[in-house]
């Protein structure tokens, strides 16, 4: 079969073909079925029996804020089935039941299969398949018991290991913390961090004090501007009130305080003409002493106003009050001058303090920058160290958690009893084993023959060649026994013979002549094949006999100058023949030999030559064919195979067309395709192909070529060619 061909429409003929293939491999199919049944029987005899039990295990899952599952991470709900049937649990279970074996030995000898899954109520359903019936019922209960025991042992071991590890780790962490603290103190001392901190604290309020003085000075300057206002120049009381409001904003002068001033009243950088003023007690009396004078002045003004209603200003009654009023006014003026002097000194004192603080600001910035730099270095050091304090806290938390929740279970298992138990073995099952064996046997019986057919890349039918190579089928030639390959049986033609071989060549001849209507007339026809021993000589000889019987004067030429075999069919000697004629050793009449068949002449290959390619490609051969065209109606040329030789390709320009012979069921598809492609590259005119040596006794070929072997040849009368 040629793979990759287009699938045809499924028909009755295909069904018969598949039946024929089945008949071809019937013994193989029966053998495969018998083999699988015997294999199943052997397995049943020697396989160990398997017993099954099914049990339920109740799973208790209680969520707690802190429990052993969270501490040890060994009891997740989803992983319980896998933990329950773990290899080490199975080994412990087997040992508790009296079977001392490894996990591999358990699987090989005792435990066939075990499965644990959750049901809809979150309970574990455990299925056990074992080789011993006494193990089936007791396995699950013992397995749950061993699982709980192993988990408790493992947790106790882990707890002891954690306690020992924490003791060692806590001591080491404490030592590391002390070492880090000492290193940090040493680093701070080396960098002068403590000294910088002390110096910074001593002047830490410098920016704040300077800002306060700036605000105080701005307020004093504002009051000074108001004191210069012309609208209140004669109002001593208003001026005193302004000065009093300024004195309430800050600290008053202290007795004995020295205030540095300059003649202009403002200290500037570089001034050397500076006066020092000592604050006397007269300058610091209560700022509100003038309130009494103000009350007396108001009373005298009221008294003068009352007297003025009765007496004239020059009256003796008016002189005394006016005199007292003048004295009070002078006292108020003196209070104002004192307050103004005190105000000016306070302003100057604030200016002096501001200047002093401003002079200290560079030192403050220098100390602050140094301190911040040292803090950054210490911070980098702290970040570069491991957080041992955090480690210590975490370890202490874990130890407390172990002490608190070491015995608080979240997930617990309890064996709930057997759900199913079988005293008889469940495997191997005779009916199931027989059914599986038969099924496998049928699959193999159907699959192996068709696989063989699929892997067969030889050409076996006409449709495959027609689809793959786009050549027209001219006919088929049935397989002939070697005893029949003699001149009398193969070549002799009898009018009254009802032979399938004769009828096959009549069909080939008729199809060949019909092809001449659409291309060149088949006067000179080449018979070739892709490989040796495909039956070119038999086909060309019989085709020549068939043409001769029609009355056409026919010449059969053997162009295989190396291994020509045409002379054997007719009982001639190989030489003289074509090679002698081309070499000029004989004449054309001597080369063409008459046969017992009317109208048929044969030209054998002649003397053996290794340089046959040069002779067949020479002008002498071309001229010979032209001469023969005038003497014969049909010229049949038997050629060497296409692959590996060049004679066939060289002769393309002297023949009218090519008949390609394929050995059915034997010629590889790749070889046939390569030969067809080579001839097509040399512009060959294909009349079609002949499928040769078809074994019609084979059932597959019988159904495939039924109409050749039965309908046409046996049900219809023969026609005279």
């Amino acid at each position: 079969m040629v793979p990759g061909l287009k699938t045809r429409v499924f028909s009755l003929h295909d069904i018969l073909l598949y039946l024929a293939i089945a008949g071809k491999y019937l013994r193989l199919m029966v053998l495969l079925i018998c083999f699988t049944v015997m294999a199943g029987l052997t397995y049943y005899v020697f396989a160990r029996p398997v017993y099954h039990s099914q049990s339920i295990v109740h799973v208790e899952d209680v969520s707690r804020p802190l429990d052993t599952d969270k501490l040890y991470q060994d009891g997740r709900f989803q992983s319980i089935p896998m933990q329950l049937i773990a290899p080490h649990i199975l080994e412990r279970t087997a040992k508790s039941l009296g079977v001392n074996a490894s996990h591999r030995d358990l699987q090989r000898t005792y435990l066939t299969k075990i499965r644990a899954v959750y049901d809809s109520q979150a309970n574990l359903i455990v299925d056990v398949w074992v080789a011993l019936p006494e193990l089936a019922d007791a396995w699950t209960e013992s397995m749950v018991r061993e699982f709980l025991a192993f988990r408790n042992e493992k947790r106790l071991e882990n707890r002891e290991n954690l306690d020992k590890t924490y003791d060692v780790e806590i001591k080491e962490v404490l030592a590391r913390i002390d070492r880090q603290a000492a290193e940090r103190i040493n680093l701070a001392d080396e960098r002068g961090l403590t000294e910088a901190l002390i110096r910074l604290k001593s002047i830490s309020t410098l920016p704040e004090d300077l800002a306060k003085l700036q605000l105080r000075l701005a307020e004093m300057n504002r009051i000074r501007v108001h004191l210069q206002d012309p609208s209140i120049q004669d109002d001593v009381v208003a001026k005193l009130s302004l000065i009093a409001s300024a004195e309430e904003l800050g600290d008053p002068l202290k007795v004995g305080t020295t205030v540095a001033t300059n003649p202009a009243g403002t200290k500037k950088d570089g001034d050397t003409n500076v006066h020092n003023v000592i604050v006397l007690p007269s300058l610091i009396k209560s700022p509100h002493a003038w309130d009494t004078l103000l009350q007396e002045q108001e009373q005298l003004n009221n008294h003068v106003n009352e007297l003025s209603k009765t007496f004239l200003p020059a009256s003796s009654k008016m002189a005394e009050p006016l005199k007292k009023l003048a004295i009070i006014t002078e006292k108020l003026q003196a209070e104002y001058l004192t307050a103004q002097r005190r105000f000016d000194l306070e302003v100057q004192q604030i200016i002096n303090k501001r200047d002093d603080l401003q002079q200290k600001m560079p030192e403050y910035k220098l100390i602050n920058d140094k301190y911040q730099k040292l803090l950054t270095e210490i911070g980098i050091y702290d970040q570069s160290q491991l957080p041992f304090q955090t480690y210590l806290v975490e370890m202490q938390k874990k130890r407390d958690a172990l002490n608190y929740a070491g015995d608080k279970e979240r997930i617990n298992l309890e064996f709930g009893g057997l759900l199913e138990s079988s005293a008889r073995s469940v495997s191997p099952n005779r009916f199931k084993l027989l059914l599986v064996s038969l099924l496998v046997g049928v699959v193999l019986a159907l699959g192996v023959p068709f696989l063989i057919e699929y892997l067969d890349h030889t050409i076996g039918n006409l449709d495959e060649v027609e689809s793959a190579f786009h050549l027209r089928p001219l006919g088929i030639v049935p397989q002939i026994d070697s005893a029949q390959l003699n001149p009398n049986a193969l070549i002799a033609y009898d009018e009254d013979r009802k032979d399938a071989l004769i009828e096959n060549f009549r069909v080939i001849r008729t199809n060949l002549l019909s092809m001449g209507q659409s291309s060149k007339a088949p006067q000179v026809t080449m018979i070739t094949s892709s490989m040796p021993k495909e039956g070119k000589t038999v086909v060309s000889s019989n085709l020549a006999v068939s043409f001769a019987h029609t009355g056409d004067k026919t010449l059969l030429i053997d162009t295989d100058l190396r291994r020509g075999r045409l002379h054997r069919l007719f009982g001639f000697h190989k030489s003289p023949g074509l090679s002698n004629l081309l070499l000029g050793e004989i004449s054309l009449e001597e080369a063409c030999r008459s046969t017992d068949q009317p109208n048929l002449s044969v030209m054998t290959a002649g003397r053996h030559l290794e340089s046959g390619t040069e002779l067949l490609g020479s002008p002498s051969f071309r001229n010979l064919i032209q001469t023969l065209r005038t003497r014969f109606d049909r010229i049949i040329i038997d050629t060497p195979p296409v692959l590996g030789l060049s004679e066939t390709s060289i002769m393309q320009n002297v023949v009218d067309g090519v008949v390609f012979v394929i050995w059915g069921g034997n010629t590889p598809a790749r070889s046939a395709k390569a030969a067809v492609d080579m001839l097509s590259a040399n512009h060959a005119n294909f009349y079609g192909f002949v499928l040769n040596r078809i074994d019609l006794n084979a059932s597959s070929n019988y159904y495939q070529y039924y109409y050749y072997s039965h309908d046409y040849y046996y049900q219809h009368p023969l026609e005279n060619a």
Side-chain angles (χ1 to χ4, degrees):
M1 299 179 68
V2 180
L5 299 181
K6 185 177 179 181
T7 305
R8 299 173 299 172
V9 178
F10 198 76
S11 62
L12 178 61
H13 178 265
D14 295 323
I15 296 176
L16 296 176
L17 178 60
Y18 288 131
L19 291 176
I21 295 176
K24 176 181 178 181
Y25 296 99
L26 181 61
R27 280 188 281 184
L28 176 61
M29 296 170 67
V30 173
L31 180 62
L32 288 173
I33 294 176
C34 293
F35 173 77
T36 55
V37 172
M38 288 298 297
L41 180 60
T42 303
Y43 175 79
Y44 179 77
V45 171
F46 292 99
R48 61 179 180 178
V50 177
Y51 300 89
H52 171 256
S53 69
Q54 186 178 77
S55 307
I56 184 171
V57 178
H58 299 295
V59 182
E60 181 184 3
D61 185 5
V62 180
S63 179
R64 303 175 185 269
L66 187 63
D67 51 41
T68 52
D69 294 320
K70 291 185 174 65
L71 294 177
Y72 299 106
Q73 300 293 326
D74 62 350
R76 295 179 181 177
F77 185 80
Q78 294 81 1
S79 62
I80 289 297
M82 297 301 298
Q83 295 181 23
L84 187 62
I85 61 175
H88 59 278
I89 301 297
L90 298 180
E91 291 179 1
R92 289 173 62 109
T93 303
K95 188 174 182 180
S96 67
L97 295 175
V99 178
N100 192 3
S102 63
H103 181 254
R104 178 176 296 180
D105 292 336
L106 280 176
Q107 289 183 327
R108 185 180 303 167
T109 307
Y110 300 99
L111 186 62
T112 303
K113 182 180 178 182
I114 184 168
R115 180 178 63 191
V117 295
Y118 284 111
D119 63 3
S120 59
Q121 298 180 353
N123 293 318
L124 274 177
I125 304 299
V126 181
D127 291 280
V128 180
W129 290 268
V130 292
L132 299 176
E134 60 270 18
L135 296 180
D137 295 343
W139 185 273
T140 303
E141 183 178 5
S142 179
M143 183 173 62
V144 172
R145 184 171 59 252
E146 293 298 325
F147 169 75
L148 295 176
F150 171 79
R151 188 174 64 175
N152 291 333
E153 294 171 4
K154 196 66 176 178
R155 287 179 176 178
L156 181 59
E157 180 183 355
N158 290 340
R159 185 171 181 176
E160 293 176 354
N161 293 335
L162 286 174
D163 284 336
K164 294 179 182 179
T165 303
Y166 284 171
D167 289 338
V168 176
E169 290 293 327
I170 288 175
K171 292 179 181 179
E172 185 175 353
V173 168
L174 289 174
R176 291 293 184 92
I177 291 175
D178 294 339
R179 190 184 308 169
Q180 281 187 358
E183 291 177 355
R184 192 178 189 281
I185 293 173
N186 293 335
L187 180 63
D189 292 340
E190 291 176 1
R191 295 290 189 272
L193 179 64
T194 305
E195 180 183 356
L197 178 61
I198 294 173
R199 292 181 62 189
L200 183 63
K201 284 185 176 180
S202 65
I203 57 175
S204 61
T205 61
L206 183 60
E208 182 180 357
D209 295 341
L210 182 59
K212 291 180 179 180
L213 288 176
Q214 295 284 7
L215 294 175
R216 171 70 173 159
L217 184 60
E219 184 63 23
M220 298 290 279
N221 288 331
R222 185 184 65 80
I223 293 174
R224 175 179 286 177
V225 171
H226 284 294
L227 290 174
Q228 301 299 326
D229 191 355
S231 62
I232 62 171
Q233 288 301 316
D234 297 332
D235 191 350
V236 178
V237 175
K239 293 180 179 181
L240 286 172
S241 298
L242 286 173
I243 293 174
S245 65
E247 292 175 348
E248 292 176 357
L249 296 175
D251 296 333
L253 294 174
K254 296 181 180 180
V255 178
T257 303
T258 301
V259 180
T261 63
N262 58 3
T266 304
K267 183 179 179 180
K268 297 181 180 179
D269 296 339
D271 289 347
T272 59
N273 189 14
V274 177
H275 298 166
N276 293 325
V277 179
I278 299 175
V279 179
L280 300 175
S282 60
L283 292 176
I284 60 172
K285 62 182 180 179
S286 176
H288 300 291
W290 50 272
D291 288 344
T292 303
L293 296 175
L294 184 61
Q295 292 177 0
E296 292 178 359
Q297 184 185 35
E298 185 176 359
Q299 292 176 359
L300 287 174
N301 283 332
N302 292 333
H303 182 62
V304 169
N305 289 333
E306 291 293 332
L307 292 176
S308 63
K309 294 178 181 179
T310 307
F311 302 100
L312 293 174
S315 173
S316 59
K317 296 289 185 182
M318 296 286 292
E320 185 64 25
L322 290 175
K323 183 178 179 180
K324 291 181 179 180
L325 185 61
I327 292 172
I328 291 175
T329 301
E330 290 178 357
K331 289 181 178 181
L332 287 174
Q333 186 65 32
E335 286 290 335
Y336 167 68
L337 293 176
T338 301
Q340 185 178 17
R341 178 63 174 164
R342 186 170 60 250
F343 178 80
D344 291 339
L345 288 176
E346 288 182 2
V347 171
Q348 188 62 46
Q349 185 181 22
I350 292 172
I351 293 174
N352 293 340
K353 288 183 179 180
R354 183 199 64 182
D355 294 342
D356 290 341
L357 293 179
Q358 287 180 344
Q359 290 177 358
K360 293 180 181 179
M361 280 301 294
E363 180 184 2
Y364 170 80
K365 292 182 179 179
L366 182 62
I367 295 174
N368 186 62
D369 291 344
K370 180 180 179 181
Y371 178 72
Q372 296 299 329
K373 182 178 180 181
L374 292 176
L375 284 181
T376 302
E377 292 180 2
I378 296 299
I380 293 174
Y381 171 80
D382 292 339
Q383 293 180 1
S384 64
Q385 301 301 310
L386 291 175
F388 289 107
Q389 294 86 348
T390 304
Y391 297 161
L392 184 62
V393 173
E394 292 297 329
M395 285 189 288
Q396 192 60 45
K397 286 183 179 179
K398 290 182 179 179
R399 171 169 280 183
D400 293 342
L402 283 174
N403 294 332
Y404 170 75
D407 57 350
K408 291 180 172 58
E409 291 287 351
R410 175 182 177 181
I411 298 178
N412 199 7
L413 305 182
E414 181 182 359
F415 179 72
L418 290 170
L419 297 179
E420 180 182 338
S421 178
S422 177
R424 299 179 59 184
S425 62
V426 296
S427 177
N429 188 292
R430 287 177 293 179
F431 176 75
K432 184 184 296 185
L433 186 61
L434 178 61
L435 184 62
V436 171
S437 300
L438 288 175
L439 181 61
V440 173
V442 170
V443 171
L444 290 177
L446 295 177
V448 171
F450 283 97
L451 179 63
I452 294 174
E453 287 293 318
Y454 178 78
L455 295 178
D456 183 9
H457 291 175
T458 58
I459 299 174
N461 60 64
L462 301 174
D463 293 338
E464 290 178 356
V465 182
E466 188 175 5
S467 300
F469 307 140
H470 304 289
L471 298 179
R472 177 182 174 182
L474 299 178
I476 66 169
V477 177
Q479 177 70 43
I480 302 173
D481 295 336
S482 58
Q484 295 178 327
L485 293 177
N486 56 76
N488 296 328
L490 181 61
I491 303 301
Y493 196 92
D494 188 353
E495 177 76 23
D496 298 327
R497 284 180 61 188
K498 295 183 179 181
D499 192 345
L501 179 63
I502 297 175
E503 292 302 328
N504 278 326
F505 281 101
R506 286 179 177 174
V507 173
I508 295 172
R509 181 192 67 198
T510 303
N511 290 332
L512 179 60
L513 292 175
S514 65
M515 289 297 296
Q517 298 176 2
S518 57
S519 62
K520 292 182 180 180
Q523 182 181 6
V524 181
T525 304
M526 175 190 297
I527 310 298
T528 189
S529 66
S530 59
M531 302 173 64
K533 299 181 180 180
E534 294 194 60
K536 297 183 299 297
T537 302
V538 174
V539 172
S540 59
S541 301
N542 282 277
L543 184 59
V545 171
S546 181
F547 273 118
H549 183 68
T550 62
D552 292 339
K553 191 175 182 181
T554 305
L555 175 63
L556 179 60
I557 304 177
D558 188 354
T559 58
D560 190 352
L561 303 184
R562 293 183 178 89
R563 301 176 59 185
R565 302 174 60 186
L566 189 62
H567 59 282
R568 297 179 183 177
L569 295 178
F570 292 92
F572 297 143
H573 291 288
K574 185 177 180 182
S575 181
L578 177 61
S579 61
N580 304 97
L581 177 61
L582 294 177
L583 291 173
E585 297 175 354
I586 60 174
S587 63
L588 179 58
E589 288 73 13
E590 292 175 329
C592 295
R593 305 180 189 182
S594 299
T595 65
D596 297 336
Q597 300 295 326
N599 302 320
L600 177 62
S601 299
V602 175
M603 182 181 296
T604 59
R607 180 162 54 90
H608 174 77
L609 292 176
E610 293 295 338
S611 60
T613 303
E614 289 75 7
L615 288 177
L616 296 177
S618 65
S620 300
F621 182 73
R622 187 181 302 107
N623 295 333
L624 174 62
I625 296 299
Q626 292 297 332
T627 302
L628 294 176
R629 284 179 181 272
T630 60
R631 297 189 181 187
F632 295 93
D633 299 320
R634 306 292 174 189
I635 301 174
I636 306 300
I637 300 178
D638 183 19
T639 68
V642 176
L643 299 181
L645 301 173
S646 59
E647 286 91 333
T648 305
S649 300
I650 290 176
M651 290 186 288
Q652 292 299 312
N653 57 351
V654 298
V655 300
D656 297 325
V658 178
V659 173
F660 196 72
V661 178
I662 298 174
W663 185 355
N666 189 76
T667 301
R670 291 183 179 180
S671 300
K673 187 176 186 306
V676 171
D677 291 342
M678 184 179 297
L679 294 174
S680 299
N682 289 280
H683 309 290
N685 177 32
F686 285 99
Y687 290 132
F689 69 92
V690 173
L691 203 58
N692 190 29
R693 301 175 71 175
I694 299 298
D695 185 8
L696 295 180
N697 293 324
S699 57
S700 58
N701 290 332
Y702 173 78
Y703 286 109
Q704 187 171 356
Y705 303 109
Y706 184 77
Y707 57 91
Y708 281 97
S709 60
H710 186 274
D711 291 347
Y712 189 83
Y713 297 121
Y714 298 115
Q715 293 185 4
H716 301 286
L718 296 177
E719 298 179 358
N720 293 330

